[in-house]
Each structure stands twice: as C-alpha cells, then as structure tokens.
Amino acid sequence: MKSFGLTGYPLGHSLSPVIHRELFKICKMDGEYNLFEISPENLKSEFSKLTELCGFNVTIPHKIDVIPFLDELDERAALFGAVNTVKTGEKLKGYNTDCHGFLRAIKMADIDLTGNVLLCGSGGVARMFAFEAVLAGCDLTIAVRDDDIPAANILANEIKEKLNKEAKVLNLKDVSESYNLIINGTPVGMHPHTDACVLPKEIIQKSNAVFDAIYNPEETLFIKYAKEAGLKYSNGLSMLVWQAAIAEEIWNDVKFSESDIQKVIETTKKELEK
C-alpha cells in the first residue's frame, strides 16, 4: 500500500483524507492518506518521517518553511515562494498545485480569466490568485481593508519585480467599477460568520463572474448575490478537490476527468454537511 499524507499545524478537521481516498478509488490505487500534525518548532526534527511517504501535502504554517528541506521547486512554487505538494524519491521536489486547482476550477465553471480582475485580499491564497491573474494577462486590482494596504503594496511590488506588470491597490470601501471577474481571497463570509460579505451586493452584481475561495458554507453571501444576478460563479470546493487531484497526478502519474472530480466534490459536500 502506498502512503501519503498532509502536514500542517493545527490540522483540525481536514477534508484532505476524504478527498484523497475518493481519488484513490477512482484510479483503483491501494493507497492511504493520513494527517501529520507537526508544530513549527518540530518541523526540522520530524521532517524525515514525511520523506518516508510516497508523497505529501503541506498546509499552513509550513508552506514556506518547508522549502529549505527540498532539493528543487517547480516553476510555480518558486514564483509564489510557497509549496503545498512534495514528491519524494531520490530528490524531494516541491510543487504548488493550488494554482492549477484554481485554473481547472474556473474552467469547470466556464469562467474566463481575462480583462479587469478584482482580487479581495492579499495574503495566503490571494497571492496565488494575484500572480495567476497577471500571468493570464489580466488588469489586476487588489482590494483590501485599511490595515492590509501595506501587505497589498508589498504584493504589488513583488508582481512588478517578478513579472514586470503593474497591479493597482485599492481600499475595499473605494471599489466602484465593474469587473470581468471578482475573486474573494479573504475569509470574510466563512462559517460561522456567514452573514458577512466582502463587498456590497451592487458591486458584485456589476461583474461578469465571481470566484470565492471559501467552501464552507457552500453558498456564501458573495456567491448568493452572484447567483441572484445570473452571473457565472464557483466556490472553493472544486479548487480544493482539483489541487488534491493534481497532487495525485504528480505522485502517481494518473489523470482525472471533470466527471471524476464532480463525483469527489459531491462526496466532499456530504462530508461537510456532517
């Protein structure tokens, strides 16, 4: 049996084991997927047990701290400075599958990554959204709260340095234009604070499409407002499943179809409802 896992701290109730077990079933693989909760101060001393696995995923707070332990990085992991998937073997190679998960999720929802894109947030997963939007040739505006303006400016400067492209920085309360796509890369609206929304309804409904990184609840106010206006939309669950599937593709040289992923999404939804 092949062994895989997820490391982070704290891990709490992770959906990753459920998702990967479903993916194992689809590709008829005899595999197991376990959680390895390792505190930041113990990452160095406990890292060797992760290398005994056939591959592993990495989540907060280890996505950056794991890099010095690896032999090489793929292009996206190097660009973002963050790793969420490691392939073991003679060499330890770090990947970032969040980006591919995002791109496949929006393709599945028939959302184009083109034109004017508004990204709400500048930390964590929002960094990846920012780089992908700019790499796709979009005109990017990063909108954040007052407190996060310095972090947003740092991200915009990083985009300028690495990609030689400009990104605008705006206060969330000053957003007034219409956009081809609005991405919520913040936790605003996440369970249990489901009555919150990162932007006013009228701004959301002026856009062509929305993507919300949140998947619990399945329908945030952000998504609800988009649905009401008949916009294309996607929440973060398809991205979560796709990034896991792409990790499997890297580890095991397998391929998954959209219908495969849809089945896993449905199973994961049931797990969320428990």
Side-chain angles (χ1 to χ4, degrees):
M1 180 183 282
K2 286 187 168 185
S3 293
F4 304 89
L6 169 69
T7 186
Y9 186 86
L11 287 176
H13 179 65
S14 171
L15 291 169
S16 292
V18 173
I19 293 169
H20 282 279
R21 283 166 202 158
E22 290 303 309
L23 293 168
F24 293 151
K25 282 182 203 168
I26 289 167
C27 59
K28 297 180 170 54
M29 200 185 85
D30 187 17
E32 63 173 6
Y33 191 96
N34 296 300
L35 301 180
F36 295 85
E37 193 170 83
I38 300 174
S39 63
E41 61 271 21
N42 291 332
L43 183 61
K44 187 175 181 180
S45 61
E46 296 192 38
F47 185 77
S48 61
K49 72 181 177 189
L50 299 172
T51 64
E52 292 165 13
L53 301 169
C54 300
F56 60 93
N57 293 121
V58 184
T59 190
I60 295 166
H62 301 324
K63 286 186 172 189
I64 296 167
D65 295 344
V66 77
I67 291 173
F69 301 105
L70 307 178
D71 298 308
E72 56 184 302
L73 299 178
D74 89 321
E75 189 183 350
R76 287 297 203 269
L79 180 63
F80 306 147
V83 163
N84 79 327
T85 297
V86 176
K87 185 172 186 179
T88 57
E90 285 182 24
K91 284 188 171 180
L92 295 176
K93 186 168 182 180
Y95 298 80
N96 191 304
T97 67
D98 285 333
C99 53
H100 304 295
F102 168 58
L103 295 174
R104 292 208 204 175
I106 59 172
K107 180 176 176 282
M108 204 163 161
D110 197 27
I111 294 171
D112 294 323
L113 190 57
T114 55
N116 290 321
V117 172
L118 178 70
L119 168 63
C120 302
S122 61
V125 75
R127 281 175 46 81
M128 177 273 291
F129 294 140
F131 276 103
E132 287 302 328
V134 173
L135 286 167
C138 302
D139 293 317
L140 176 67
T141 301
I142 304 166
V144 292
R145 301 171 306 177
D146 285 337
D147 293 352
D148 294 326
I149 293 284
N153 283 326
I154 289 168
L155 177 55
N157 289 335
E158 197 179 337
I159 288 166
K160 175 70 175 166
E161 284 169 21
K162 291 184 175 179
L163 303 178
N164 198 27
K165 297 280 177 69
E166 301 287 343
K168 279 189 266 181
V169 173
L170 200 60
N171 196 301
L172 275 166
K173 62 177 182 280
D174 295 329
V175 174
S176 59
E177 293 177 39
S178 59
Y179 294 87
N180 295 89
L181 172 63
I182 300 177
I183 302 170
N184 179 30
T186 78
V188 177
M190 188 186 287
H191 181 81
H193 306 293
T194 54
D195 57 348
C197 189
V198 71
L199 287 169
K201 180 178 179 176
E202 57 272 19
I203 296 291
I204 295 165
Q205 295 187 339
K206 278 202 291 185
S207 68
N208 296 348
V210 303
F211 181 86
D212 196 341
I214 294 168
Y215 52 83
N216 185 17
E218 183 182 346
E219 188 175 292
T220 56
L221 270 183
F222 183 72
I223 295 283
K224 185 175 177 229
Y225 294 153
K227 281 175 77 173
E228 278 177 11
L231 310 181
K232 291 176 180 178
Y233 66 90
S234 176
N235 73 4
L237 190 56
S238 56
M239 177 178 138
L240 182 73
V241 173
W242 268 119
Q243 63 82 23
I246 293 154
E248 293 271 352
E249 291 179 358
I250 290 165
W251 296 329
N252 300 314
D253 196 25
V254 292
K255 287 285 173 203
F256 297 97
S257 67
E258 287 193 357
S259 60
D260 291 334
I261 298 305
Q262 194 55 52
K263 285 178 199 161
V264 182
I265 289 169
E266 294 308 319
T267 304
T268 313
K269 274 185 196 172
K270 287 174 189 160
E271 183 69 20
L272 271 170
E273 287 161 8
K274 284 182 183 175

